[in-house]
Amino acid sequence: MAYELAKQFSKTVTHTFFRDIQVIGQENIPKDGPVLLYGNHNNQFIDPLLIISNMTRKINFIAAAKSMRKPIIGDIGRAIGGIPVERPQDLAKIGSGILKRYDGTYLFGENSQFTKQCQIHDSILIQGIDTIILIVEIINDTKIKVRCEDSSQICIKDNKYKVQPKVDQSQMFEQVWLALKQGKCIGIFPEGGSHDNTTLLPLKPGICIMALGASQKYQTKVKLQPVGLNYFKGHKFRSKVIVEFGVPYEINQQLIDTYAINKRQAISKLLLEIEQQLKSVTIQAPSYSHLSAVMIGRSLYLPDRTRLSPQDLLELTKRFLLSFQKLKDHPEVNQVLTEIKLYNYKLKALGVKDWEVMRMQKRIYLDLQIIGYNIFMTILCLLFAFPGFIMTIPITIMLNMYAERERKTALAGSKVKISGKDVVASFKVLASIIIVPISVIIYTILFYILLTAYNIVDEEFTLRYTIIFLLMWPIYITAMIRSNDGLIRHARKVNSQILFYLYENKYRKLKKQREELQTKIRKLVDTFGEDVIHDFNHNRIIQKSQIQSPKSVAELDIQNVFVSLQELGI
C-alpha cells in the first residue's frame, strides 16, 4: 500500500514538474525474475521518481544513507523500499591542522592528530587532487605512511584535508543478493552521485559486485537493464524528458566463473559492458555547446514540419552525436559544425527558435490572422492564470531562493558538478511539498477573513464558501500551470511574428543561412552516412524521398485551437 501511494506521488510530482514526459521501451521491462536496473544520474531525487512512476513492477532503489536520514526524502525512500548504503564521502570529516609535505611515501602534517582521527585503510581527501591517497601506516600525530595511484599528482603546500573512513559494505551487498534471489527488481545509479555533466561519470564497481555476487552465491540469473533519462533543461519547471528503457540482458556464465577466480578482471569486463549499454540509451556530448549544436543540426536535417516518434527522435540525436564524434577530424564536418554554432548564436541574439525562423514568411493577411488569434489566446490564458500568478509569487520566490542556496552548497561540495543544476529541480519539489500546503492554508484563512470582514456573503454561507475555496484552490493551480504553458507558447508566436516585421532583413538573411545549412547537413549525411551507421541506406530514419524543400503555410493550424482550449480545461 505504501509503495502504491509513493508511486502515485511520483507520478503527480513528475507530471506537474515536466511539461512533456515521453517513455520508450516500457515493454522491455521483465514482468518477473531478478532485475538490476541502472540509469544515468542527472537530476538527483527526480531520477528515481521518474523511473518509479513509469515502471510496470515494484522497484527497490539503492539510496545514499545520508539522503535516507533526511526528512521527506527518507520517508519517501522507506515507502518505496529503498536500500540505504553508506558512502565514504558522506562520512568524511575535516582533519585537524594542515598538510605540510609529501616525500613520495610519507605525508607530514602540522598541528594534525593522525593517531586520533585516522585509521589504517582510511583515505585522505585534498581539494584539487583527484588521486586516492590511502593510509597504510600511522606513525604519529604528524606523520603517516600512504599509498596512492599517481603520486605525481600530489603537490602539498599547507593544504587543508579531510579524512574519509573505509566503509564495510558487506551487509548491504548481502541484502541486495538476497533480494535478487527472491526475484526482486533493484534500481541503482552506478555513477555514485548526481551531476550536470553532458557525459557519464566513471562508473562505480558496486553494480558489478551486486550482479556477479548474486549470480555466483545463489546461482541466480540476474538480468541487467539500462534506463536512460534524457533531460532537456531538466532543472527548469515545465521542461521535457525522454525516458528510454533498454533491452535487458543476462551475464554470461563464463564471466560468472571468472569472478570466482579473478574478481577484478570480471568486474572490469562487466563494468565496460554496463557503460556501453548505458551510453546506448542516453545522449552523450563533450559539452553543452556541442550538444546544442547537435540539436540544431538534427532539427535542420529533418524535413520541415516533420514529427518523429520519441524513439526515432532520440535515435536520430544519438546518431548525430556519434557522427560528429567519429568525424571530428574531418575539415568539412568541422566547418559545418562551426556554421551551426554561429547560426545558433544568431538565434539567441535575436531571441527566436529555429522552428520560428523556418516558418517565417511574409503573408500580411494571413499573418494578421495568426497574430490576432495568438493575441486572443494569450489574453485568454493570461486572464485565467493571472490571479494564480499573483498569489504564487511568494511561493515562487521562496522556492527559487531555496533551490539556489542548495545549488551553491552542492556545487561547493562536489568535484564533478559544472554548475550544480542537477539539484535544482529536486530541491524545488522538496520545498514545494512543505510550502504549497502551508500557502493553501494561509490563503484559505485570508479568504475566510475577507468574507467575514466585508460581509460579502451571509454568515451561514461563509464557512461553506471557505471549504469550497480550500478544495478548489489546488485544482485551480493545476489548471493555471496548464494555462501557463499555452500562454508562453502563444506569446512567443506573437513576439516572433512581430519581430519578423521589425527586423525583416535580418530574418531573411537568417532564413537563407538556415536553408544553406540544411543543404550542407543533408549532403554530409548522404556522404558519410555509411561511414558512421552500418548499412545506412537500409537503416535510415528519414528516407531520402521525404527530404524536400520547405513548404509555406497556407492556412491556420486548427489543431492549435483545440490544444489551447484543452490547456484551459475547456
Side-chain angles (χ1 to χ4, degrees):
M1 181 65 180
Y3 182 83
E4 289 303 318
L5 288 173
K7 185 172 181 177
Q8 190 58 49
F9 168 80
S10 301
K11 281 185 178 180
T12 303
V13 168
T14 53
H15 281 82
T16 300
F17 191 88
F18 294 102
R19 175 179 55 83
D20 188 8
I21 301 175
Q22 297 177 341
V23 184
I24 301 169
Q26 264 183 321
E27 67 280 0
N28 292 331
I29 303 170
K31 292 181 174 60
D32 51 33
V35 175
L36 194 54
L37 183 145
Y38 59 95
N40 56 311
H41 205 8
N42 293 112
N43 216 340
Q44 210 180 38
F45 306 125
I46 298 293
D47 290 338
L49 296 183
L50 260 176
I51 294 174
I52 289 166
S53 61
N54 291 288
M55 281 290 288
T56 52
R57 60 181 290 187
K58 184 177 179 179
I59 179 171
N60 302 96
F61 267 101
I62 305 294
K66 178 183 177 182
S67 298
M68 293 284 278
R69 288 191 285 267
K70 292 181 178 180
I72 302 177
I73 302 168
D75 296 331
I76 296 169
R78 285 185 287 276
I80 61 177
I83 301 172
V85 54
E86 285 288 5
R87 298 185 302 182
Q89 63 266 35
D90 294 335
L91 301 176
K93 294 182 178 180
I94 297 172
S96 298
I98 56 173
L99 300 177
K100 294 293 290 185
R101 184 166 58 91
Y102 173 64
D103 65 2
T105 303
Y106 295 97
L107 201 56
F108 298 88
E110 183 181 283
N111 299 324
S112 52
Q113 297 180 358
F114 292 146
T115 57
K116 295 178 182 178
Q117 293 187 322
C118 303
Q119 292 184 9
I120 294 174
H121 303 308
D122 286 354
S123 301
I124 299 293
L125 303 179
I126 307 171
Q127 190 171 6
I129 298 176
D130 292 331
T131 189
I132 298 172
I133 305 173
L134 191 68
I135 299 174
V136 176
E137 184 183 353
I138 302 170
I139 310 300
N140 53 46
D141 273 338
T142 58
K143 183 180 178 181
I144 51 174
K145 186 178 181 180
V146 298
R147 183 175 70 245
C148 59
E149 295 176 344
D150 186 2
S151 58
S152 64
Q153 286 191 32
I154 303 178
C155 181
I156 303 297
K157 188 179 179 181
D158 299 342
N159 297 78
K160 292 182 179 180
Y161 65 99
K162 287 184 178 181
V163 180
Q164 178 177 283
K166 177 179 172 59
V167 178
D168 181 13
Q169 304 286 14
S170 57
Q171 188 175 353
M172 181 273 296
F173 284 122
E174 285 287 351
Q175 189 178 350
V176 172
W177 294 338
L178 186 60
L180 290 171
K181 179 195 174 186
Q182 294 169 349
K184 293 182 179 180
C185 179
I186 302 295
I188 185 172
F189 298 105
E191 292 171 280
S194 69
H195 62 94
D196 53 354
N197 283 267
T198 53
T199 55
L200 295 173
L201 297 182
L203 305 186
K204 308 296 184 186
I207 184 174
C208 301
I209 298 171
M210 292 173 189
L212 290 166
S215 300
Q216 182 193 54
K217 186 170 184 176
Y218 296 113
Q219 288 74 52
T220 304
K221 291 291 183 181
V222 179
K223 287 186 176 179
L224 291 163
Q225 181 170 36
V227 56
L229 303 169
N230 300 285
Y231 295 99
F232 300 84
K233 298 182 179 179
H235 63 289
K236 289 190 175 182
F237 186 64
R238 305 303 286 167
S239 54
K240 177 182 176 180
V241 59
I242 298 178
V243 183
E244 181 177 8
F245 291 94
V247 178
Y249 58 98
E250 288 184 0
I251 305 170
N252 62 61
Q253 189 59 45
Q254 185 180 357
L255 197 60
I256 297 170
D257 295 338
T258 304
Y259 183 71
I261 303 166
N262 190 331
K263 285 183 170 56
R264 184 181 290 272
Q265 182 183 346
I267 287 171
S268 296
K269 284 185 177 180
L270 182 57
L271 201 61
L272 184 62
E273 173 67 17
I274 287 170
E275 184 179 21
Q276 293 303 317
Q277 292 291 338
L278 194 52
K279 284 181 178 178
S280 72
V281 292
T282 53
I283 297 172
Q284 303 289 310
S287 67
Y288 280 106
S289 63
H290 191 91
L291 180 60
S292 180
V294 165
M295 293 296 188
I296 294 292
R298 181 206 66 189
S299 177
L300 293 172
Y301 170 71
L302 285 172
D304 294 342
R305 303 180 181 279
T306 297
R307 286 187 176 272
L308 294 180
S309 68
Q311 191 163 2
D312 284 344
L313 193 64
L314 193 60
E315 178 60 27
L316 191 62
T317 306
K318 292 175 191 173
R319 288 187 181 187
F320 264 83
L321 281 165
L322 181 63
S323 301
F324 282 128
Q325 183 181 349
K326 280 192 173 184
L327 304 169
K328 62 183 178 181
D329 296 325
H330 197 285
E332 193 176 350
V333 173
N334 275 328
Q335 177 62 30
V336 170
L337 186 59
T338 302
E339 288 181 27
I340 291 173
K341 289 181 178 180
L342 179 62
Y343 172 71
N344 194 27
Y345 172 78
K346 289 181 178 178
L347 288 176
K348 290 178 180 178
L350 281 171
V352 294
K353 304 289 185 183
D354 175 62
W355 62 267
E356 292 173 325
V357 175
M358 177 261 289
R359 294 186 181 190
M360 285 302 173
Q361 290 184 6
K362 195 169 184 179
R363 306 147 300 174
I364 296 175
Y365 179 70
L366 183 58
D367 287 343
L368 286 173
Q369 282 185 306
I370 294 172
I371 291 171
Y373 162 72
N374 283 297
I375 288 175
F376 170 75
M377 290 307 302
T378 300
I379 293 170
L380 189 61
C381 290
L382 185 59
L383 288 173
F384 186 81
F386 187 71
F389 283 153
I390 299 300
M391 297 177 77
T392 55
I393 283 174
I395 300 172
T396 304
I397 291 172
M398 284 189 286
L399 290 179
N400 288 338
M401 288 175 62
Y402 176 67
E404 179 61 17
R405 188 188 70 188
E406 294 296 336
R407 183 193 70 80
K408 289 179 178 178
T409 302
L411 184 61
S414 173
K415 295 180 180 179
V416 297
K417 299 183 193 296
I418 296 174
S419 60
K421 290 180 179 178
D422 56 301
V423 306
V424 171
S426 297
F427 281 103
K428 279 185 178 180
V429 167
L430 291 172
S432 65
I433 291 171
I434 299 171
I435 293 172
V436 171
I438 291 173
S439 69
V440 170
I441 293 169
I442 291 172
Y443 282 130
T444 302
I445 293 170
L446 291 174
F447 181 76
Y448 176 80
I449 292 171
L450 182 69
L451 291 181
T452 53
Y454 293 96
N455 296 317
I456 296 173
V457 295
D458 293 339
E459 189 176 342
E460 59 181 298
F461 293 108
T462 301
L463 184 60
R464 186 183 302 176
Y465 285 141
T466 303
I467 293 171
I468 292 172
F469 178 88
L470 177 64
L471 296 174
M472 292 301 296
W473 173 243
I475 297 171
Y476 168 70
I477 290 297
T478 304
M480 186 207 75
I481 291 170
R482 294 292 303 275
S483 180
N484 185 54
D485 293 341
L487 173 64
I488 293 170
R489 189 176 73 251
H490 293 298
R492 276 205 65 89
K493 288 181 179 179
V494 173
N495 180 65
S496 62
Q497 206 78 37
I498 292 173
L499 284 176
F500 173 67
Y501 280 90
L502 291 175
Y503 304 103
E504 186 177 342
N505 289 335
K506 289 184 179 180
Y507 270 92
R508 290 196 181 280
K509 288 178 182 177
L510 197 59
K511 187 164 187 179
K512 186 178 180 182
Q513 184 181 355
R514 184 185 192 277
E515 291 168 354
E516 289 172 354
L517 265 175
Q518 267 191 324
T519 304
K520 289 179 181 180
I521 290 169
R522 290 168 180 176
K523 183 181 176 183
L524 284 180
V525 170
D526 290 336
T527 304
F528 298 106
E530 289 289 345
D531 297 339
V532 179
I533 306 297
H534 176 69
D535 198 6
F536 171 70
N537 286 318
H538 179 70
N539 295 309
R540 290 182 77 122
I541 295 172
I542 302 294
Q543 299 302 317
K544 210 168 183 179
S545 58
Q546 292 178 265
I547 297 176
Q548 54 191 352
S549 300
K551 292 181 180 179
S552 60
V553 184
E555 56 185 17
L556 187 66
D557 186 357
I558 196 67
Q559 284 194 343
N560 282 340
V561 178
F562 293 111
V563 170
S564 303
L565 292 176
Q566 285 174 355
E567 287 167 353
L568 291 171
I570 299 172

